[in-house]
Amino acid sequence: MPTAHVNGLDLYYERAGAGPPLLFISGTGGDLRNKPNQFDGPLPKAFDMVSYDQRGLGRSDKPDVAYTMADYADDAAALMGALGLEKAHVIGVSFGGMVAQELVLRHPSRVDRLVLACTSPGGAGGASFPFHEIEHLKGEARAKHLMPISDTRRDAAWAAANPELHAQFVAMGASDPFAGEPGREMGARRQLEARAHHDTWDRLGQIEAPTLIAAGRYDGIALPETQERLAGRIKGATLRFFEGGHLFMIQDRTATAAMIAFLKGDLL
């Protein structure tokens, strides 16, 4: 099992593909055991891609201490160092986009080109949906609550008109094959606690890396207006909306292609 010992803990990672180095930072609850994932798409065909389970998640260590967004960013930088990656392109998705913001601010020399997908800056720029406020919701109740937020088109009228599809999405959202593992609930809670304090708004002007803000038009978690503010705060940032909600990278097949083009320096 590939692990790197960084910052006093073991991080589980995977690496695949060939080309320019790319660090992919996953979102809330990200666990590389869940398939399909980022390694099953086109990214490893274009890049030497590394992705990992962040502290508190998956097969990485889960220390029962307070986590900070700086901790997550320093973990990412230390993992790059352990793998011999002085600099890499970075894609951060949702919570991973928050980590990526901290990474480029705390370790600017590590980041070549940057994609921030369905994420938020926090602070005066706007925060993403407060997942820490719905920790009491589990399984189907949580999946049903989040569905019209994740994609604002999937409201009550849509659910009534598409009962079979709605039930399928609820079942997918409620599934957790690794529930009950030691430290799993605690690690997830620690991540949400750190996420609640995310705020890069006043520092975004320091980002020098070429940046693409990628978002779903119907995302109720990372709101479209927040994406516009985020893009306006980062010098020279490009903003692209895609047909989908918070999962637009799955819903709109042009999204990942656009990210690859951006990272390769092609015009969008």
Short mmCIF file of all heavy atoms in Angstrom, two decimals, residues 179-245:
data_model
loop_
_atom_site.label_atom_id
_atom_site.label_comp_id
_atom_site.label_asym_id
_atom_site.label_seq_id
_atom_site.Cartn_x
_atom_site.Cartn_y
_atom_site.Cartn_z
N ALA A 179 -18.46 2.60 6.41
CA ALA A 179 -19.01 3.11 7.67
C ALA A 179 -18.65 2.16 8.81
O ALA A 179 -18.62 0.95 8.64
CB ALA A 179 -20.52 3.25 7.55
N GLY A 180 -18.36 2.73 9.95
CA GLY A 180 -18.04 1.91 11.11
C GLY A 180 -16.57 1.63 11.29
O GLY A 180 -16.17 1.04 12.30
N GLU A 181 -15.75 2.00 10.31
CA GLU A 181 -14.31 1.81 10.48
C GLU A 181 -13.78 2.66 11.63
O GLU A 181 -14.26 3.76 11.87
CB GLU A 181 -13.56 2.22 9.20
CG GLU A 181 -13.67 1.23 8.06
CD GLU A 181 -12.80 1.63 6.88
OE1 GLU A 181 -12.41 2.81 6.80
OE2 GLU A 181 -12.52 0.76 6.05
N PRO A 182 -12.79 2.18 12.35
CA PRO A 182 -12.22 2.97 13.45
C PRO A 182 -11.73 4.33 12.96
O PRO A 182 -10.99 4.43 11.99
CB PRO A 182 -11.05 2.10 13.93
CG PRO A 182 -11.41 0.71 13.54
CD PRO A 182 -12.15 0.84 12.24
N GLY A 183 -12.17 5.37 13.63
CA GLY A 183 -11.73 6.72 13.32
C GLY A 183 -12.43 7.38 12.15
O GLY A 183 -12.21 8.57 11.90
N ARG A 184 -13.27 6.65 11.44
CA ARG A 184 -13.87 7.23 10.23
C ARG A 184 -14.77 8.41 10.54
O ARG A 184 -14.66 9.48 9.93
CB ARG A 184 -14.64 6.16 9.45
CG ARG A 184 -15.23 6.67 8.14
CD ARG A 184 -15.78 5.52 7.30
NE ARG A 184 -16.34 5.96 6.04
CZ ARG A 184 -15.64 6.24 4.95
NH1 ARG A 184 -14.32 6.15 4.98
NH2 ARG A 184 -16.23 6.62 3.84
N GLU A 185 -15.68 8.23 11.46
CA GLU A 185 -16.61 9.32 11.80
C GLU A 185 -15.86 10.50 12.40
O GLU A 185 -16.14 11.66 12.08
CB GLU A 185 -17.68 8.81 12.76
CG GLU A 185 -18.76 9.84 13.05
CD GLU A 185 -19.91 9.29 13.87
OE1 GLU A 185 -19.98 8.05 14.06
OE2 GLU A 185 -20.75 10.09 14.32
N MET A 186 -14.89 10.22 13.26
CA MET A 186 -14.12 11.29 13.87
C MET A 186 -13.34 12.07 12.82
O MET A 186 -13.33 13.30 12.81
CB MET A 186 -13.16 10.70 14.92
CG MET A 186 -12.23 11.71 15.58
SD MET A 186 -10.71 12.07 14.60
CE MET A 186 -9.97 10.43 14.55
N GLY A 187 -12.66 11.37 11.91
CA GLY A 187 -11.87 12.04 10.89
C GLY A 187 -12.71 12.91 9.99
O GLY A 187 -12.31 14.03 9.63
N ALA A 188 -13.90 12.41 9.63
CA ALA A 188 -14.81 13.19 8.79
C ALA A 188 -15.27 14.45 9.53
O ALA A 188 -15.38 15.53 8.93
CB ALA A 188 -16.00 12.34 8.39
N ARG A 189 -15.52 14.30 10.82
CA ARG A 189 -15.95 15.45 11.62
C ARG A 189 -14.84 16.49 11.71
O ARG A 189 -15.07 17.70 11.60
CB ARG A 189 -16.37 15.00 13.01
CG ARG A 189 -16.91 16.16 13.88
CD ARG A 189 -17.27 15.70 15.28
NE ARG A 189 -16.08 15.43 16.09
CZ ARG A 189 -15.67 14.23 16.45
NH1 ARG A 189 -16.33 13.16 16.06
NH2 ARG A 189 -14.58 14.08 17.19
N ARG A 190 -13.60 16.01 11.91
CA ARG A 190 -12.47 16.93 11.98
C ARG A 190 -12.31 17.72 10.68
O ARG A 190 -11.96 18.90 10.69
CB ARG A 190 -11.19 16.16 12.30
CG ARG A 190 -11.13 15.54 13.69
CD ARG A 190 -11.13 16.59 14.77
NE ARG A 190 -10.79 16.02 16.08
CZ ARG A 190 -10.79 16.72 17.21
NH1 ARG A 190 -11.13 18.01 17.19
NH2 ARG A 190 -10.48 16.16 18.35
N GLN A 191 -12.56 17.05 9.54
CA GLN A 191 -12.47 17.75 8.26
C GLN A 191 -13.53 18.85 8.18
O GLN A 191 -13.23 19.97 7.73
CB GLN A 191 -12.65 16.76 7.11
CG GLN A 191 -12.47 17.43 5.75
CD GLN A 191 -12.77 16.51 4.60
OE1 GLN A 191 -13.75 15.75 4.62
NE2 GLN A 191 -11.95 16.55 3.56
N LEU A 192 -14.75 18.55 8.58
CA LEU A 192 -15.81 19.55 8.51
C LEU A 192 -15.53 20.72 9.45
O LEU A 192 -15.87 21.87 9.13
CB LEU A 192 -17.16 18.92 8.84
CG LEU A 192 -17.68 17.87 7.85
CD1 LEU A 192 -19.07 17.41 8.27
CD2 LEU A 192 -17.72 18.43 6.43
N GLU A 193 -14.92 20.44 10.60
CA GLU A 193 -14.58 21.53 11.52
C GLU A 193 -13.56 22.47 10.88
O GLU A 193 -13.69 23.70 11.00
CB GLU A 193 -14.01 20.94 12.82
CG GLU A 193 -15.04 20.21 13.67
CD GLU A 193 -14.41 19.43 14.81
OE1 GLU A 193 -13.15 19.35 14.86
OE2 GLU A 193 -15.16 18.89 15.64
N ALA A 194 -12.57 21.92 10.21
CA ALA A 194 -11.58 22.75 9.53
C ALA A 194 -12.23 23.53 8.40
O ALA A 194 -11.97 24.73 8.21
CB ALA A 194 -10.44 21.88 9.00
N ARG A 195 -13.07 22.85 7.65
CA ARG A 195 -13.76 23.46 6.50
C ARG A 195 -14.59 24.67 6.93
O ARG A 195 -14.66 25.67 6.21
CB ARG A 195 -14.65 22.41 5.85
CG ARG A 195 -15.42 22.83 4.62
CD ARG A 195 -16.29 21.65 4.18
NE ARG A 195 -17.04 21.92 2.96
CZ ARG A 195 -18.19 22.58 2.92
NH1 ARG A 195 -18.72 23.05 4.05
NH2 ARG A 195 -18.82 22.77 1.78
N ALA A 196 -15.20 24.59 8.10
CA ALA A 196 -16.04 25.68 8.59
C ALA A 196 -15.27 26.97 8.80
O ALA A 196 -15.85 28.06 8.80
CB ALA A 196 -16.74 25.26 9.87
N HIS A 197 -13.95 26.86 8.99
CA HIS A 197 -13.13 28.04 9.24
C HIS A 197 -12.34 28.49 8.01
O HIS A 197 -11.50 29.39 8.12
CB HIS A 197 -12.16 27.75 10.40
CG HIS A 197 -12.85 27.47 11.70
ND1 HIS A 197 -13.51 28.44 12.43
CD2 HIS A 197 -13.02 26.31 12.38
CE1 HIS A 197 -14.04 27.90 13.51
NE2 HIS A 197 -13.76 26.61 13.51
N HIS A 198 -12.61 27.89 6.87
CA HIS A 198 -11.88 28.25 5.66
C HIS A 198 -12.14 29.71 5.27
O HIS A 198 -13.29 30.15 5.19
CB HIS A 198 -12.31 27.34 4.51
CG HIS A 198 -11.82 27.79 3.17
ND1 HIS A 198 -10.49 27.78 2.83
CD2 HIS A 198 -12.49 28.27 2.09
CE1 HIS A 198 -10.35 28.23 1.59
NE2 HIS A 198 -11.55 28.54 1.12
N ASP A 199 -11.08 30.45 5.02
CA ASP A 199 -11.21 31.85 4.60
C ASP A 199 -9.90 32.31 3.96
O ASP A 199 -8.92 32.57 4.65
CB ASP A 199 -11.57 32.74 5.78
CG ASP A 199 -11.82 34.20 5.38
OD1 ASP A 199 -11.65 34.52 4.19
OD2 ASP A 199 -12.18 35.00 6.27
N THR A 200 -9.90 32.40 2.65
CA THR A 200 -8.73 32.92 1.93
C THR A 200 -9.02 34.26 1.27
O THR A 200 -8.17 34.80 0.56
CB THR A 200 -8.30 31.92 0.82
OG1 THR A 200 -9.41 31.71 -0.08
CG2 THR A 200 -7.86 30.59 1.42
N TRP A 201 -10.21 34.79 1.46
CA TRP A 201 -10.69 35.93 0.68
C TRP A 201 -9.70 37.09 0.64
O TRP A 201 -9.41 37.63 -0.43
CB TRP A 201 -12.04 36.40 1.23
CG TRP A 201 -12.62 37.57 0.52
CD1 TRP A 201 -12.79 38.83 0.99
CD2 TRP A 201 -13.12 37.59 -0.84
NE1 TRP A 201 -13.37 39.64 0.03
CE2 TRP A 201 -13.57 38.91 -1.10
CE3 TRP A 201 -13.22 36.63 -1.83
CZ2 TRP A 201 -14.12 39.26 -2.33
CZ3 TRP A 201 -13.76 36.99 -3.06
CH2 TRP A 201 -14.19 38.29 -3.30
N ASP A 202 -9.18 37.47 1.79
CA ASP A 202 -8.30 38.64 1.84
C ASP A 202 -6.91 38.38 1.27
O ASP A 202 -6.13 39.32 1.10
CB ASP A 202 -8.17 39.14 3.28
CG ASP A 202 -9.46 39.75 3.80
OD1 ASP A 202 -10.27 40.21 2.98
OD2 ASP A 202 -9.66 39.74 5.03
N ARG A 203 -6.59 37.12 0.97
CA ARG A 203 -5.26 36.77 0.47
C ARG A 203 -5.24 36.36 -1.00
O ARG A 203 -4.17 36.12 -1.56
CB ARG A 203 -4.68 35.63 1.32
CG ARG A 203 -4.41 36.01 2.77
CD ARG A 203 -3.98 34.80 3.57
NE ARG A 203 -5.10 33.91 3.87
CZ ARG A 203 -5.01 32.59 4.00
NH1 ARG A 203 -3.85 31.98 3.83
NH2 ARG A 203 -6.08 31.88 4.28
N LEU A 204 -6.41 36.27 -1.62
CA LEU A 204 -6.47 35.73 -2.98
C LEU A 204 -5.70 36.57 -3.99
O LEU A 204 -5.22 36.04 -5.00
CB LEU A 204 -7.93 35.60 -3.43
CG LEU A 204 -8.76 34.52 -2.72
CD1 LEU A 204 -10.21 34.58 -3.18
CD2 LEU A 204 -8.17 33.13 -2.96
N GLY A 205 -5.55 37.84 -3.73
CA GLY A 205 -4.79 38.69 -4.64
C GLY A 205 -3.32 38.34 -4.71
O GLY A 205 -2.61 38.80 -5.62
N GLN A 206 -2.85 37.51 -3.79
CA GLN A 206 -1.44 37.09 -3.79
C GLN A 206 -1.17 35.96 -4.78
O GLN A 206 -0.01 35.66 -5.06
CB GLN A 206 -1.04 36.62 -2.38
CG GLN A 206 -1.19 37.66 -1.30
CD GLN A 206 -0.99 37.07 0.09
OE1 GLN A 206 -0.31 36.06 0.26
NE2 GLN A 206 -1.57 37.70 1.10
N ILE A 207 -2.22 35.32 -5.29
CA ILE A 207 -2.03 34.17 -6.17
C ILE A 207 -1.51 34.62 -7.52
O ILE A 207 -2.10 35.48 -8.19
CB ILE A 207 -3.36 33.39 -6.35
CG1 ILE A 207 -3.80 32.80 -5.00
CG2 ILE A 207 -3.21 32.28 -7.40
CD1 ILE A 207 -5.14 32.09 -5.06
N GLU A 208 -0.37 34.06 -7.91
CA GLU A 208 0.25 34.41 -9.19
C GLU A 208 0.07 33.30 -10.23
O GLU A 208 0.24 33.55 -11.43
CB GLU A 208 1.75 34.67 -8.97
CG GLU A 208 2.06 35.83 -8.04
CD GLU A 208 1.73 37.18 -8.65
OE1 GLU A 208 1.56 37.25 -9.90
OE2 GLU A 208 1.65 38.16 -7.90
N ALA A 209 -0.25 32.11 -9.80
CA ALA A 209 -0.38 30.99 -10.73
C ALA A 209 -1.57 31.20 -11.67
O ALA A 209 -2.62 31.67 -11.24
CB ALA A 209 -0.58 29.68 -9.96
N PRO A 210 -1.41 30.88 -12.96
CA PRO A 210 -2.56 30.92 -13.86
C PRO A 210 -3.68 30.03 -13.30
O PRO A 210 -3.43 28.87 -12.94
CB PRO A 210 -2.01 30.37 -15.17
CG PRO A 210 -0.54 30.62 -15.09
CD PRO A 210 -0.18 30.45 -13.64
N THR A 211 -4.89 30.58 -13.23
CA THR A 211 -5.97 29.90 -12.52
C THR A 211 -7.24 29.81 -13.35
O THR A 211 -7.66 30.80 -13.95
CB THR A 211 -6.28 30.63 -11.19
OG1 THR A 211 -5.09 30.69 -10.39
CG2 THR A 211 -7.36 29.92 -10.41
N LEU A 212 -7.82 28.62 -13.33
CA LEU A 212 -9.13 28.39 -13.93
C LEU A 212 -10.13 28.12 -12.81
O LEU A 212 -9.91 27.25 -11.98
CB LEU A 212 -9.10 27.19 -14.87
CG LEU A 212 -10.46 26.68 -15.39
CD1 LEU A 212 -11.15 27.72 -16.26
CD2 LEU A 212 -10.29 25.35 -16.13
N ILE A 213 -11.22 28.87 -12.79
CA ILE A 213 -12.33 28.62 -11.88
C ILE A 213 -13.38 27.85 -12.70
O ILE A 213 -13.92 28.37 -13.68
CB ILE A 213 -12.96 29.93 -11.35
CG1 ILE A 213 -11.88 30.87 -10.79
CG2 ILE A 213 -14.03 29.62 -10.32
CD1 ILE A 213 -11.12 30.33 -9.64
N ALA A 214 -13.66 26.62 -12.30
CA ALA A 214 -14.60 25.76 -13.02
C ALA A 214 -15.78 25.46 -12.11
O ALA A 214 -15.58 25.10 -10.94
CB ALA A 214 -13.92 24.47 -13.47
N ALA A 215 -16.99 25.57 -12.64
CA ALA A 215 -18.15 25.46 -11.76
C ALA A 215 -19.37 24.95 -12.53
O ALA A 215 -19.43 25.01 -13.76
CB ALA A 215 -18.47 26.83 -11.15
N GLY A 216 -20.35 24.46 -11.77
CA GLY A 216 -21.61 24.02 -12.33
C GLY A 216 -22.65 25.13 -12.26
O GLY A 216 -22.75 25.83 -11.24
N ARG A 217 -23.42 25.27 -13.31
CA ARG A 217 -24.43 26.34 -13.36
C ARG A 217 -25.51 26.16 -12.29
O ARG A 217 -26.16 27.13 -11.90
CB ARG A 217 -25.10 26.36 -14.73
CG ARG A 217 -24.17 26.68 -15.88
CD ARG A 217 -24.95 26.78 -17.19
NE ARG A 217 -24.06 26.91 -18.32
CZ ARG A 217 -23.49 28.06 -18.70
NH1 ARG A 217 -23.75 29.16 -18.03
NH2 ARG A 217 -22.68 28.09 -19.76
N TYR A 218 -25.73 24.93 -11.85
CA TYR A 218 -26.85 24.63 -10.96
C TYR A 218 -26.37 24.14 -9.59
O TYR A 218 -27.07 23.37 -8.92
CB TYR A 218 -27.77 23.59 -11.62
CG TYR A 218 -28.13 23.96 -13.04
CD1 TYR A 218 -27.50 23.33 -14.12
CD2 TYR A 218 -29.04 24.97 -13.31
CE1 TYR A 218 -27.81 23.69 -15.43
CE2 TYR A 218 -29.34 25.35 -14.62
CZ TYR A 218 -28.72 24.70 -15.67
OH TYR A 218 -29.01 25.06 -16.96
N ASP A 219 -25.22 24.59 -9.21
CA ASP A 219 -24.61 24.16 -7.95
C ASP A 219 -25.15 25.01 -6.79
O ASP A 219 -24.97 26.23 -6.77
CB ASP A 219 -23.09 24.31 -8.04
CG ASP A 219 -22.34 23.64 -6.90
OD1 ASP A 219 -22.98 23.29 -5.90
OD2 ASP A 219 -21.11 23.48 -7.02
N GLY A 220 -25.78 24.36 -5.83
CA GLY A 220 -26.26 25.05 -4.65
C GLY A 220 -25.32 24.92 -3.46
O GLY A 220 -25.62 25.41 -2.38
N ILE A 221 -24.20 24.22 -3.66
CA ILE A 221 -23.19 24.07 -2.60
C ILE A 221 -22.12 25.15 -2.76
O ILE A 221 -21.83 25.90 -1.82
CB ILE A 221 -22.57 22.67 -2.63
CG1 ILE A 221 -23.63 21.63 -2.25
CG2 ILE A 221 -21.36 22.59 -1.70
CD1 ILE A 221 -23.16 20.19 -2.34
N ALA A 222 -21.53 25.23 -3.94
CA ALA A 222 -20.59 26.31 -4.27
C ALA A 222 -21.32 27.19 -5.29
O ALA A 222 -21.34 26.90 -6.48
CB ALA A 222 -19.30 25.74 -4.85
N LEU A 223 -21.93 28.24 -4.80
CA LEU A 223 -22.88 29.02 -5.60
C LEU A 223 -22.22 29.72 -6.79
O LEU A 223 -21.08 30.18 -6.70
CB LEU A 223 -23.55 30.07 -4.71
CG LEU A 223 -24.36 29.52 -3.52
CD1 LEU A 223 -24.87 30.67 -2.66
CD2 LEU A 223 -25.52 28.67 -4.01
N PRO A 224 -22.96 29.83 -7.91
CA PRO A 224 -22.41 30.51 -9.09
C PRO A 224 -21.92 31.92 -8.81
O PRO A 224 -20.87 32.33 -9.30
CB PRO A 224 -23.59 30.50 -10.07
CG PRO A 224 -24.36 29.27 -9.70
CD PRO A 224 -24.26 29.19 -8.21
N GLU A 225 -22.66 32.67 -8.00
CA GLU A 225 -22.23 34.03 -7.71
C GLU A 225 -20.93 34.05 -6.90
O GLU A 225 -20.12 34.98 -7.02
CB GLU A 225 -23.32 34.81 -6.97
CG GLU A 225 -23.85 34.16 -5.73
CD GLU A 225 -25.10 33.32 -5.97
OE1 GLU A 225 -25.21 32.72 -7.06
OE2 GLU A 225 -25.96 33.29 -5.06
N THR A 226 -20.71 33.02 -6.10
CA THR A 226 -19.46 32.91 -5.37
C THR A 226 -18.30 32.65 -6.32
O THR A 226 -17.19 33.16 -6.12
CB THR A 226 -19.55 31.79 -4.32
OG1 THR A 226 -20.65 32.06 -3.44
CG2 THR A 226 -18.27 31.70 -3.50
N GLN A 227 -18.55 31.87 -7.36
CA GLN A 227 -17.51 31.61 -8.36
C GLN A 227 -17.10 32.90 -9.07
O GLN A 227 -15.92 33.11 -9.37
CB GLN A 227 -18.00 30.58 -9.39
CG GLN A 227 -18.61 29.33 -8.79
CD GLN A 227 -17.74 28.69 -7.75
OE1 GLN A 227 -16.58 28.33 -8.02
NE2 GLN A 227 -18.25 28.55 -6.54
N GLU A 228 -18.08 33.74 -9.33
CA GLU A 228 -17.78 35.01 -9.99
C GLU A 228 -16.93 35.90 -9.10
O GLU A 228 -15.98 36.55 -9.57
CB GLU A 228 -19.09 35.69 -10.37
CG GLU A 228 -19.87 34.94 -11.45
CD GLU A 228 -21.24 35.51 -11.70
OE1 GLU A 228 -21.67 36.40 -10.92
OE2 GLU A 228 -21.91 35.06 -12.65
N ARG A 229 -17.26 35.92 -7.81
CA ARG A 229 -16.44 36.72 -6.89
C ARG A 229 -15.03 36.14 -6.78
O ARG A 229 -14.04 36.88 -6.74
CB ARG A 229 -17.11 36.77 -5.51
CG ARG A 229 -18.36 37.65 -5.47
CD ARG A 229 -18.78 37.94 -4.04
NE ARG A 229 -19.29 36.76 -3.36
CZ ARG A 229 -20.57 36.39 -3.34
NH1 ARG A 229 -21.48 37.13 -3.98
NH2 ARG A 229 -20.95 35.31 -2.69
N LEU A 230 -14.94 34.82 -6.71
CA LEU A 230 -13.64 34.16 -6.61
C LEU A 230 -12.77 34.49 -7.82
O LEU A 230 -11.60 34.86 -7.69
CB LEU A 230 -13.85 32.65 -6.49
CG LEU A 230 -12.63 31.74 -6.36
CD1 LEU A 230 -11.82 32.10 -5.13
CD2 LEU A 230 -13.08 30.28 -6.30
N ALA A 231 -13.35 34.38 -9.00
CA ALA A 231 -12.60 34.67 -10.23
C ALA A 231 -12.18 36.13 -10.29
O ALA A 231 -11.08 36.45 -10.77
CB ALA A 231 -13.44 34.31 -11.45
N GLY A 232 -13.03 37.01 -9.81
CA GLY A 232 -12.70 38.43 -9.84
C GLY A 232 -11.61 38.83 -8.87
O GLY A 232 -11.01 39.89 -8.99
N ARG A 233 -11.36 37.96 -7.90
CA ARG A 233 -10.39 38.27 -6.85
C ARG A 233 -8.98 37.78 -7.20
O ARG A 233 -7.99 38.26 -6.64
CB ARG A 233 -10.84 37.60 -5.55
CG ARG A 233 -10.17 38.09 -4.29
CD ARG A 233 -10.69 39.45 -3.87
NE ARG A 233 -10.34 39.74 -2.48
CZ ARG A 233 -10.73 40.83 -1.83
NH1 ARG A 233 -11.48 41.73 -2.44
NH2 ARG A 233 -10.37 41.03 -0.58
N ILE A 234 -8.88 36.82 -8.13
CA ILE A 234 -7.59 36.24 -8.50
C ILE A 234 -7.15 36.85 -9.83
O ILE A 234 -7.86 36.76 -10.84
CB ILE A 234 -7.69 34.71 -8.62
CG1 ILE A 234 -8.09 34.11 -7.27
CG2 ILE A 234 -6.35 34.13 -9.09
CD1 ILE A 234 -8.34 32.62 -7.31
N LYS A 235 -6.00 37.46 -9.84
CA LYS A 235 -5.52 38.18 -11.03
C LYS A 235 -5.49 37.26 -12.25
O LYS A 235 -4.86 36.18 -12.23
CB LYS A 235 -4.11 38.74 -10.77
CG LYS A 235 -4.05 39.81 -9.71
CD LYS A 235 -2.69 40.44 -9.63
CE LYS A 235 -1.63 39.48 -9.13
NZ LYS A 235 -1.76 39.20 -7.69
N GLY A 236 -6.17 37.70 -13.33
CA GLY A 236 -6.11 36.99 -14.59
C GLY A 236 -6.86 35.67 -14.63
O GLY A 236 -6.72 34.91 -15.60
N ALA A 237 -7.66 35.35 -13.60
CA ALA A 237 -8.34 34.06 -13.55
C ALA A 237 -9.37 33.94 -14.68
O ALA A 237 -10.01 34.91 -15.07
CB ALA A 237 -9.02 33.87 -12.20
N THR A 238 -9.52 32.71 -15.17
CA THR A 238 -10.53 32.38 -16.17
C THR A 238 -11.68 31.68 -15.47
O THR A 238 -11.46 30.79 -14.64
CB THR A 238 -9.94 31.44 -17.24
OG1 THR A 238 -8.86 32.09 -17.90
CG2 THR A 238 -10.99 31.06 -18.27
N LEU A 239 -12.91 32.07 -15.80
CA LEU A 239 -14.09 31.46 -15.20
C LEU A 239 -14.87 30.71 -16.27
O LEU A 239 -15.19 31.27 -17.32
CB LEU A 239 -14.98 32.53 -14.57
CG LEU A 239 -16.35 32.09 -14.05
CD1 LEU A 239 -16.20 31.07 -12.92
CD2 LEU A 239 -17.15 33.30 -13.58
N ARG A 240 -15.19 29.42 -15.99
CA ARG A 240 -15.99 28.63 -16.91
C ARG A 240 -17.11 27.93 -16.15
O ARG A 240 -16.87 27.27 -15.14
CB ARG A 240 -15.14 27.56 -17.61
CG ARG A 240 -14.25 28.06 -18.72
CD ARG A 240 -15.04 28.37 -20.00
NE ARG A 240 -15.79 27.23 -20.49
CZ ARG A 240 -15.30 26.30 -21.30
NH1 ARG A 240 -14.04 26.35 -21.69
NH2 ARG A 240 -16.08 25.31 -21.73
N PHE A 241 -18.34 28.07 -16.66
CA PHE A 241 -19.47 27.34 -16.11
C PHE A 241 -19.80 26.17 -17.02
O PHE A 241 -19.71 26.27 -18.24
CB PHE A 241 -20.69 28.25 -15.98
CG PHE A 241 -20.62 29.20 -14.81
CD1 PHE A 241 -20.34 30.54 -14.99
CD2 PHE A 241 -20.84 28.74 -13.52
CE1 PHE A 241 -20.27 31.41 -13.92
CE2 PHE A 241 -20.77 29.60 -12.43
CZ PHE A 241 -20.49 30.94 -12.63
N PHE A 242 -20.23 25.06 -16.39
CA PHE A 242 -20.57 23.85 -17.13
C PHE A 242 -21.98 23.40 -16.77
O PHE A 242 -22.56 23.84 -15.77
CB PHE A 242 -19.54 22.75 -16.83
CG PHE A 242 -18.15 23.11 -17.27
CD1 PHE A 242 -17.27 23.73 -16.40
CD2 PHE A 242 -17.74 22.87 -18.58
CE1 PHE A 242 -15.99 24.09 -16.82
CE2 PHE A 242 -16.47 23.23 -19.01
CZ PHE A 242 -15.60 23.84 -18.12
N GLU A 243 -22.53 22.51 -17.59
CA GLU A 243 -23.90 22.06 -17.41
C GLU A 243 -23.97 20.99 -16.33
O GLU A 243 -23.74 19.81 -16.59
CB GLU A 243 -24.46 21.52 -18.74
CG GLU A 243 -24.64 22.59 -19.80
CD GLU A 243 -25.59 23.70 -19.33
OE1 GLU A 243 -26.70 23.37 -18.86
OE2 GLU A 243 -25.20 24.88 -19.41
N GLY A 244 -24.27 21.42 -15.13
CA GLY A 244 -24.37 20.49 -14.03
C GLY A 244 -24.42 21.22 -12.71
O GLY A 244 -24.41 22.46 -12.66
N GLY A 245 -24.48 20.45 -11.64
CA GLY A 245 -24.47 21.00 -10.30
C GLY A 245 -23.10 20.83 -9.69
O GLY A 245 -22.08 21.04 -10.35
#
